[in-house]
Amino acid sequence: MNKIGYSVFFMFAITLLCTTLVSVIHVVTRERIDLNQHAKLEIVVLRALAVRIPENSSLAEIDALFRQRVARREISGRTVYIIDQADGKTPQGYAFSVSGPGFWGPVFAMVAVDASLSTVTGIEFYLHRETPGLGARINEKEFQRQFAGLSLNMPVAGGKYFTLTPAAPGKPPSDLDAITGATMTSEAVEKFVNREIATFRALLLESSLTTVPKQ
Amino acid sequence: MEKSQPAAQIIKAGLWNENPLLRHTLGICSTLAVTNLMVNTLVMNIGLLFTLAMSCCTVSLLRHVTPDRIRMMAQTLIISSYVIVFDIIIKAYLPEVSEALGPYVGLIITNCIIMGRCEAFARSNPPLPALLDGLATGIGFSLVLFAIAFIRELAGFGSLFGCRIMPASFTPWTIMIMAPGAFFTLALLVWLVRTFAGDNGTTQLQGPKT
């Protein structure tokens, strides 16, 4: 009985010791971790909205830039980031996060559109589990750059704004280059990005955001 | 029981004679998962080295007061605490690497090398030799991981630590950056080492067997 009592005491003591150590480290670093996660999303939004982030900016500077240029609004439970023109009154564009199933797991992208909702101005694929070197190349600049200038006025065949097909000369502007060797990822991206842009566009058109300038 | 081995012997065992990957084929999971980029491998190695050395030292310090019956519970607790500490630290100071490694940092807890060394060595040796054993084994593991990552990143991306090495005309071997590439590389490496070292895979384990 005594043996069991000692074992329980020992386990209790060592658990207390270990959890104290972990808790102390957690408390000490919590603020920094929050800031990191915060800044990561802010960087994605700023990049999608084509706001230039000065090189070697600290996390606090990025946060300040974000607060200065970007406003956050909720429409039907989804977050929309609004960027104003230099005068600070009329909106210049909107950014929103879209997601859908990729080949290995969910893929998240931040899509930016202009104030008239007629053109995509940028896209940032910021979270995915696609194959390195293949599907993971969706977050390369060359791939993402193609989306800038994509027209949203008239969906092409099948209700899509864009299609991803193998690179070829003389393709229409809505026909973007897919990633060679990543057919599944390209198909998945084409599907959910098209669908989600349509959904968000409808939400934005319904909302008061697009007509009423933010105060 | 408390007769400790000379330091040189402990180091040699960790690096070569009892190299966890080449000799005992332990810790394969993380080897397959993180060796497609040198940077990820570096962080995984630092994490394992930190956890292994600290856990071995702690288990050794507590060896006289730990009841035998519940020693594995205690070891798991110690190991997981160190892993969580490491995970929090890289989340705070290296967020990008933390994201690239994803769940694999947490999975250091289940790396059999750590508990293996705690059981086989730290439990029955004084703290300093135990720390040395942890470091030597960890470095032995790290060197093999670096060798595999070197081959995989060079062949799979044409780069090392993200810097392009191979000429632009080089076609990357995509298979090398996926899990099968790690299987091939590791198997070849183990085969080569065992063949040239004249080892037939029957190395004796040191320390008490339980």
Side-chain angles (χ1 to χ4, degrees):
Chain A
M1 208 54 207
N2 215 3
K3 250 187 177 171
I4 294 174
Y6 176 70
S7 295
V8 171
F9 165 77
F10 177 81
M11 213 50 219
F12 180 78
I14 194 167
T15 308
L16 192 70
L17 201 75
C18 289
T19 41
T20 311
L21 172 77
V22 171
S23 307
V24 167
I25 304 262
H26 169 72
V27 170
V28 168
T29 54
R30 185 172 49 194
E31 204 176 318
R32 206 186 150 88
I33 291 174
D34 284 350
L35 199 62
N36 282 343
Q37 279 164 355
H38 212 66
K40 201 204 149 196
L41 188 74
E42 291 179 350
I43 291 171
V44 168
V45 173
L46 290 172
R47 277 205 198 131
L49 290 166
V51 177
R52 213 179 63 79
I53 304 170
E55 266 179 59
N56 304 322
S57 299
S58 70
L59 295 183
E61 283 165 355
I62 292 171
D63 190 48
L65 178 67
F66 182 87
R67 280 163 200 277
Q68 186 199 333
R69 297 293 313 272
V70 182
R72 199 186 299 239
R73 285 283 184 284
E74 299 280 326
I75 312 178
S76 313
R78 305 185 71 163
T79 310
V80 176
Y81 301 92
I82 309 161
I83 185 162
D84 290 335
Q85 271 169 357
D87 63 9
K89 288 199 182 88
T90 42
Q92 183 192 326
Y94 306 97
F96 43 85
S97 177
V98 301
S99 68
F103 186 44
W104 293 115
V107 175
F108 290 81
M110 188 64 68
V111 179
V113 296
D114 68 346
S116 60
L117 307 182
S118 59
T119 316
V120 172
T121 53
I123 194 166
E124 283 281 326
F125 289 92
Y126 64 95
L127 196 64
H128 65 82
R129 293 248 168 271
E130 301 309 287
T131 321
L134 294 174
R137 293 182 55 205
I138 51 174
N139 64 6
E140 283 184 4
K141 275 204 181 70
E142 288 68 28
F143 181 72
Q144 295 178 165
R145 202 178 286 145
Q146 306 181 89
F147 286 82
L150 185 70
S151 167
L152 297 178
N153 286 329
M154 219 187 294
V156 288
K160 288 175 175 173
Y161 298 112
F162 70 93
T163 50
L164 289 169
T165 51
K171 289 202 294 186
S174 65
D175 220 349
L176 311 180
D177 293 347
I179 294 161
T180 314
T183 313
M184 301 301 277
T185 306
S186 298
E187 278 174 9
V189 162
E190 182 183 307
K191 207 168 162 187
F192 82 77
V193 174
N194 269 307
R195 189 189 59 217
E196 290 288 288
I197 290 179
T199 312
F200 251 103
R201 203 167 168 268
L203 275 178
L204 282 167
L205 283 173
E206 274 173 31
S207 73
S208 53
L209 279 178
T210 43
T211 46
V212 182
K214 120 186 146 62
Q215 49 291 67
Chain B
M1 213 59 187
E2 288 283 337
K3 180 182 61 164
S4 76
Q5 302 160 5
Q9 198 187 327
I10 297 174
I11 294 171
K12 199 177 162 220
L15 291 184
W16 186 252
N17 291 343
E18 291 196 33
N19 185 294
L21 277 169
L22 299 176
R23 306 299 174 136
H24 298 320
T25 337
L26 288 177
I28 299 297
C29 167
S30 47
T31 311
L32 301 182
V34 303
T35 52
N36 54 8
L37 284 174
M38 290 292 268
V39 181
N40 295 354
T41 309
L42 179 69
V43 176
M44 173 54 98
N45 283 342
I46 296 170
L48 185 100
L49 201 60
F50 168 79
T51 315
L52 186 54
M54 296 301 280
S55 305
C56 281
C57 194
T58 313
V59 167
S60 168
L61 279 171
L62 295 170
R63 72 191 183 287
H64 294 309
V65 290
T66 312
D68 236 23
R69 227 172 236 277
I70 58 159
R71 64 171 197 280
M72 288 195 157
M73 261 163 82
Q75 285 169 7
T76 315
L77 185 71
I78 293 165
I79 294 167
S80 32
S81 304
Y82 283 125
V83 172
I84 296 168
V85 166
F86 181 74
D87 194 30
I88 294 177
I89 290 173
I90 66 163
K91 264 205 191 101
Y93 297 100
L94 298 165
E96 277 165 25
V97 181
S98 164
E99 209 161 274
L101 289 176
Y104 294 114
V105 174
L107 284 175
I108 293 178
I109 295 171
T110 62
N111 191 320
C112 5
I113 297 170
I114 305 176
M115 207 152 179
R117 287 332 287 174
C118 287
E119 271 290 295
F121 196 94
R123 193 162 78 83
S124 48
N125 284 282
L128 272 180
L131 181 73
L132 192 63
D133 175 71
L135 284 173
T137 312
I139 292 170
F141 173 83
S142 303
L143 290 177
V144 179
L145 240 62
F146 274 132
I148 296 171
F150 180 85
I151 299 168
R152 288 184 71 192
E153 190 178 340
L154 196 62
F157 289 107
S159 62
L160 286 177
F161 283 106
C163 303
R164 191 146 189 99
I165 301 282
M166 303 298 260
S169 59
F170 174 74
T171 310
W173 308 1
T174 309
I175 186 87
M176 292 304 280
I177 45 188
M178 299 197 274
F183 271 111
F184 297 142
T185 319
L186 176 66
L188 283 172
L189 211 62
V190 171
W191 174 53
L192 279 176
V193 166
R194 288 200 177 172
T195 305
F196 288 107
D199 176 62
N200 55 9
T202 54
T203 334
Q204 288 294 306
L205 274 170
Q206 282 180 354
K209 287 212 174 106
T210 44

